[in-house]
Amino acid sequence: MSKTDRIIKIVEELNNVFEIRVFLDHDPYKVLVRTILSQRTRDENTDQATENLFSKYKDIYEIVEAPTEDVQELIKPAGFYRVKAGRIQEVSQILIDEYGGEVPDTLEELVKLPGVGRKTANCVLVFAFELPAIPVDTHVHRISNRMGLVNTKNPDETEVELSAIAPRELWIKLNDLMVQFGQNICKPISPQCEICPVNYLCDYDGE
């Protein structure tokens, strides 16, 4: 079976187990902020920090004007709150000054923003604009290599390889399904191969 056929089957099988999630009603600014908050923390911490922030400050203009110390306190659950608060306000000011308060919808423009790498940019494209892209985080990178779909050293290489073998119509689903799969079954340590719905498509031999 070709790698493309394997990916098609993997997405089909995982879609039977997990539901595609909708993030923040596809609001590009909220998706961008949530993705910045999500760096190096767990989803539940990200969700709490995001809810705290947007419960008090409703939009980009209020967040820019907010006292930095207040933003820090609200996003504490996400960790690294001083760095993330500064980054969120810096990016927000740039969006206001250079983009009329709107989040750009191209990879090229998004990665110009401070602290926004390809993964964050691709998350915005997928979850805010529903544009085809493959955000590659630690889960997607690990699983793709573990299963033998790619043989890469870093997430950027994995994005390139997956983009070459995964049908474009599956790109939007691929990240979210693999992330949920990686969090619940194909874990970094002691993957639960015995209950894995795609173990028959996997090259992993337990080492």
Side-chain angles (χ1 to χ4, degrees):
M1 185 183 294
S2 71
K3 289 182 178 180
T4 296
D5 288 338
R6 285 169 66 193
I7 287 180
I8 292 170
K9 286 296 295 180
I10 287 166
V11 170
E12 180 182 312
E13 295 281 11
L14 294 182
N15 213 6
N16 289 331
V17 178
F18 304 107
E19 290 187 11
I20 299 294
R21 296 172 290 184
V22 176
F23 291 100
L24 303 162
D25 301 320
H26 300 297
D27 181 303
Y29 179 66
K30 289 182 179 179
V31 171
L32 175 59
V33 170
R34 185 189 187 282
T35 308
I36 293 171
L37 289 172
S38 73
Q39 295 166 5
R40 293 183 289 177
T41 194
R42 297 168 64 86
D43 279 354
E44 54 265 34
N45 298 332
T46 302
D47 291 340
Q48 186 61 61
T50 305
E51 182 180 347
N52 291 351
L53 183 61
F54 285 105
S55 291
K56 183 165 185 180
Y57 300 109
K58 304 302 182 186
D59 60 29
I60 187 171
Y61 298 98
E62 290 189 9
I63 286 176
V64 161
E65 296 296 330
T68 300
E69 297 79 10
D70 198 21
V71 175
Q72 290 175 359
E73 187 64 31
L74 291 167
I75 68 170
K76 259 188 180 179
F80 304 97
Y81 57 91
R82 290 187 179 88
V83 173
K84 291 179 181 179
R87 181 58 43 76
I88 287 168
Q89 289 192 304
E90 179 186 14
V91 166
S92 298
Q93 189 64 62
I94 292 171
L95 290 175
I96 290 170
D97 293 342
E98 299 183 16
Y99 298 92
E102 300 294 326
V103 176
D105 62 358
T106 67
L107 181 70
E108 293 72 23
E109 291 299 315
L110 285 165
V111 296
K112 291 178 183 177
L113 299 171
V116 175
R118 292 185 68 89
K119 189 208 85 169
T120 297
N122 282 327
C123 280
V124 173
L125 294 177
V126 168
F127 298 119
F129 296 107
E130 297 186 297
L131 294 172
I134 305 178
V136 177
D137 61 2
T138 55
H139 292 295
V140 177
H141 178 60
R142 179 184 74 253
I143 292 165
S144 298
N145 278 276
R146 178 180 277 170
M147 296 189 75
L149 296 170
V150 302
N151 182 15
T152 55
K153 294 182 174 62
N154 59 62
D156 285 352
E157 290 181 4
T158 300
E159 181 195 341
V160 172
E161 292 294 318
L162 286 177
S163 298
I165 60 176
R168 191 175 178 85
E169 63 269 19
L170 299 183
W171 286 9
I172 288 178
K173 291 183 175 182
L174 197 57
N175 169 270
D176 192 36
L177 290 173
M178 277 199 176
V179 167
Q180 294 184 72
F181 178 51
Q183 290 171 336
N184 295 282
I185 297 174
C186 195
K187 299 178 180 181
I189 300 172
S190 302
Q192 298 174 291
C193 299
E194 68 280 0
I195 63 168
C196 176
V198 291
N199 56 11
Y200 69 98
L201 298 164
C202 181
D203 292 346
Y204 183 60
D205 59 6
E207 297 181 2

